[in-house]
PDB file of all heavy atoms in Angstrom:
ATOM      1  N   ILE A 663      -3.086  -7.428   6.875  1.00 97.00           N
ATOM      2  CA  ILE A 663      -1.671  -7.796   7.021  1.00 97.00           C
ATOM      3  C   ILE A 663      -1.033  -7.579   5.652  1.00 97.00           C
ATOM      4  O   ILE A 663      -1.354  -8.258   4.685  1.00 97.00           O
ATOM      5  CB  ILE A 663      -1.507  -9.259   7.470  1.00 97.00           C
ATOM      6  CG1 ILE A 663      -2.185  -9.473   8.826  1.00 97.00           C
ATOM      7  CG2 ILE A 663      -0.024  -9.624   7.528  1.00 97.00           C
ATOM      8  CD1 ILE A 663      -2.283 -10.933   9.239  1.00 97.00           C
ATOM      9  N   VAL A 664      -0.142  -6.599   5.575  1.00 98.00           N
ATOM     10  CA  VAL A 664       0.483  -6.253   4.297  1.00 98.00           C
ATOM     11  C   VAL A 664       1.508  -7.311   3.911  1.00 98.00           C
ATOM     12  O   VAL A 664       1.572  -7.744   2.768  1.00 98.00           O
ATOM     13  CB  VAL A 664       1.124  -4.848   4.356  1.00 98.00           C
ATOM     14  CG1 VAL A 664       1.727  -4.474   3.013  1.00 98.00           C
ATOM     15  CG2 VAL A 664       0.100  -3.801   4.800  1.00 98.00           C
ATOM     16  N   GLY A 665       2.311  -7.728   4.872  1.00 98.00           N
ATOM     17  CA  GLY A 665       3.337  -8.733   4.634  1.00 98.00           C
ATOM     18  C   GLY A 665       4.167  -8.915   5.883  1.00 98.00           C
ATOM     19  O   GLY A 665       3.848  -8.360   6.935  1.00 98.00           O
ATOM     20  N   GLY A 666       5.240  -9.693   5.778  1.00 97.00           N
ATOM     21  CA  GLY A 666       6.066  -9.957   6.957  1.00 97.00           C
ATOM     22  C   GLY A 666       7.519 -10.171   6.602  1.00 97.00           C
ATOM     23  O   GLY A 666       7.874 -10.505   5.467  1.00 97.00           O
ATOM     24  N   PHE A 667       8.357  -9.957   7.616  1.00 98.00           N
ATOM     25  CA  PHE A 667       9.794 -10.176   7.524  1.00 98.00           C
ATOM     26  C   PHE A 667      10.202 -11.240   8.535  1.00 98.00           C
ATOM     27  O   PHE A 667       9.724 -11.232   9.673  1.00 98.00           O
ATOM     28  CB  PHE A 667      10.572  -8.898   7.866  1.00 98.00           C
ATOM     29  CG  PHE A 667      10.506  -7.820   6.833  1.00 98.00           C
ATOM     30  CD1 PHE A 667       9.517  -6.845   6.889  1.00 98.00           C
ATOM     31  CD2 PHE A 667      11.444  -7.761   5.809  1.00 98.00           C
ATOM     32  CE1 PHE A 667       9.464  -5.839   5.946  1.00 98.00           C
ATOM     33  CE2 PHE A 667      11.390  -6.762   4.868  1.00 98.00           C
ATOM     34  CZ  PHE A 667      10.398  -5.785   4.930  1.00 98.00           C
ATOM     35  N   GLU A 668      11.104 -12.103   8.146  1.00 98.00           N
ATOM     36  CA  GLU A 668      11.658 -13.079   9.077  1.00 98.00           C
ATOM     37  C   GLU A 668      12.607 -12.365  10.036  1.00 98.00           C
ATOM     38  O   GLU A 668      13.297 -11.420   9.663  1.00 98.00           O
ATOM     39  CB  GLU A 668      12.412 -14.168   8.310  1.00 98.00           C
ATOM     40  CG  GLU A 668      12.905 -15.280   9.217  1.00 98.00           C
ATOM     41  CD  GLU A 668      13.622 -16.381   8.459  1.00 98.00           C
ATOM     42  OE1 GLU A 668      13.765 -16.291   7.221  1.00 98.00           O
ATOM     43  OE2 GLU A 668      14.046 -17.332   9.131  1.00 98.00           O
ATOM     44  N   VAL A 669      12.619 -12.859  11.285  1.00 98.00           N
ATOM     45  CA  VAL A 669      13.512 -12.316  12.314  1.00 98.00           C
ATOM     46  C   VAL A 669      14.380 -13.451  12.831  1.00 98.00           C
ATOM     47  O   VAL A 669      13.873 -14.531  13.150  1.00 98.00           O
ATOM     48  CB  VAL A 669      12.705 -11.702  13.483  1.00 98.00           C
ATOM     49  CG1 VAL A 669      13.617 -11.266  14.618  1.00 98.00           C
ATOM     50  CG2 VAL A 669      11.838 -10.554  13.001  1.00 98.00           C
ATOM     51  N   ARG A 670      15.686 -13.207  12.901  1.00 97.00           N
ATOM     52  CA  ARG A 670      16.625 -14.161  13.506  1.00 97.00           C
ATOM     53  C   ARG A 670      17.498 -13.407  14.505  1.00 97.00           C
ATOM     54  O   ARG A 670      18.094 -12.395  14.151  1.00 97.00           O
ATOM     55  CB  ARG A 670      17.527 -14.805  12.443  1.00 97.00           C
ATOM     56  CG  ARG A 670      16.853 -15.915  11.699  1.00 97.00           C
ATOM     57  CD  ARG A 670      17.851 -16.727  10.867  1.00 97.00           C
ATOM     58  NE  ARG A 670      17.240 -17.005   9.581  1.00 97.00           N
ATOM     59  CZ  ARG A 670      17.805 -16.820   8.411  1.00 97.00           C
ATOM     60  NH1 ARG A 670      19.029 -16.365   8.318  1.00 97.00           N
ATOM     61  NH2 ARG A 670      17.158 -17.093   7.309  1.00 97.00           N
ATOM     62  N   GLN A 671      17.543 -13.927  15.704  1.00 96.00           N
ATOM     63  CA  GLN A 671      18.344 -13.338  16.784  1.00 96.00           C
ATOM     64  C   GLN A 671      18.059 -11.839  16.940  1.00 96.00           C
ATOM     65  O   GLN A 671      18.957 -11.026  17.127  1.00 96.00           O
ATOM     66  CB  GLN A 671      19.829 -13.588  16.548  1.00 96.00           C
ATOM     67  CG  GLN A 671      20.172 -15.054  16.537  1.00 96.00           C
ATOM     68  CD  GLN A 671      21.639 -15.312  16.229  1.00 96.00           C
ATOM     69  OE1 GLN A 671      22.392 -14.426  15.856  1.00 96.00           O
ATOM     70  NE2 GLN A 671      22.031 -16.562  16.404  1.00 96.00           N
ATOM     71  N   GLY A 672      16.775 -11.488  16.850  1.00 96.00           N
ATOM     72  CA  GLY A 672      16.355 -10.109  17.066  1.00 96.00           C
ATOM     73  C   GLY A 672      16.629  -9.156  15.920  1.00 96.00           C
ATOM     74  O   GLY A 672      16.424  -7.953  16.060  1.00 96.00           O
ATOM     75  N   GLU A 673      17.051  -9.686  14.781  1.00 96.00           N
ATOM     76  CA  GLU A 673      17.360  -8.847  13.616  1.00 96.00           C
ATOM     77  C   GLU A 673      16.449  -9.232  12.449  1.00 96.00           C
ATOM     78  O   GLU A 673      16.175 -10.414  12.225  1.00 96.00           O
ATOM     79  CB  GLU A 673      18.820  -9.037  13.179  1.00 96.00           C
ATOM     80  CG  GLU A 673      19.842  -8.674  14.242  1.00 96.00           C
ATOM     81  CD  GLU A 673      19.964  -7.179  14.463  1.00 96.00           C
ATOM     82  OE1 GLU A 673      19.765  -6.417  13.496  1.00 96.00           O
ATOM     83  OE2 GLU A 673      20.250  -6.782  15.605  1.00 96.00           O
ATOM     84  N   VAL A 674      16.040  -8.220  11.694  1.00 96.00           N
ATOM     85  CA  VAL A 674      15.255  -8.468  10.482  1.00 96.00           C
ATOM     86  C   VAL A 674      16.182  -9.088   9.442  1.00 96.00           C
ATOM     87  O   VAL A 674      17.275  -8.572   9.183  1.00 96.00           O
ATOM     88  CB  VAL A 674      14.651  -7.159   9.936  1.00 96.00           C
ATOM     89  CG1 VAL A 674      13.926  -7.402   8.625  1.00 96.00           C
ATOM     90  CG2 VAL A 674      13.720  -6.524  10.957  1.00 96.00           C
ATOM     91  N   VAL A 675      15.769 -10.189   8.872  1.00 95.00           N
ATOM     92  CA  VAL A 675      16.568 -10.870   7.854  1.00 95.00           C
ATOM     93  C   VAL A 675      16.374 -10.146   6.521  1.00 95.00           C
ATOM     94  O   VAL A 675      15.247 -10.017   6.029  1.00 95.00           O
ATOM     95  CB  VAL A 675      16.154 -12.352   7.721  1.00 95.00           C
ATOM     96  CG1 VAL A 675      16.936 -13.031   6.611  1.00 95.00           C
ATOM     97  CG2 VAL A 675      16.348 -13.072   9.053  1.00 95.00           C
ATOM     98  N   ALA A 676      17.477  -9.660   5.965  1.00 90.00           N
ATOM     99  CA  ALA A 676      17.419  -8.955   4.681  1.00 90.00           C
ATOM    100  C   ALA A 676      16.838  -9.873   3.610  1.00 90.00           C
ATOM    101  O   ALA A 676      17.087 -11.074   3.604  1.00 90.00           O
ATOM    102  CB  ALA A 676      18.814  -8.495   4.280  1.00 90.00           C
ATOM    103  N   ASP A 677      16.069  -9.307   2.731  1.00 93.00           N
ATOM    104  CA  ASP A 677      15.460 -10.032   1.603  1.00 93.00           C
ATOM    105  C   ASP A 677      14.536 -11.171   2.029  1.00 93.00           C
ATOM    106  O   ASP A 677      14.335 -12.112   1.268  1.00 93.00           O
ATOM    107  CB  ASP A 677      16.527 -10.555   0.643  1.00 93.00           C
ATOM    108  CG  ASP A 677      17.324  -9.426   0.006  1.00 93.00           C
ATOM    109  OD1 ASP A 677      16.711  -8.382  -0.306  1.00 93.00           O
ATOM    110  OD2 ASP A 677      18.535  -9.588  -0.170  1.00 93.00           O
ATOM    111  N   SER A 678      13.964 -11.094   3.229  1.00 97.00           N
ATOM    112  CA  SER A 678      13.057 -12.148   3.689  1.00 97.00           C
ATOM    113  C   SER A 678      11.586 -11.753   3.568  1.00 97.00           C
ATOM    114  O   SER A 678      10.709 -12.532   3.918  1.00 97.00           O
ATOM    115  CB  SER A 678      13.357 -12.500   5.154  1.00 97.00           C
ATOM    116  OG  SER A 678      13.024 -11.403   6.007  1.00 97.00           O
TER     117      SER A 678
END
Side-chain angles (χ1 to χ4, degrees):
I663 300 170
V664 182
F667 288 91
E668 185 178 1
V669 174
R670 280 192 222 131
Q671 298 177 351
E673 300 287 329
V674 176
V675 177
D677 297 322
S678 67

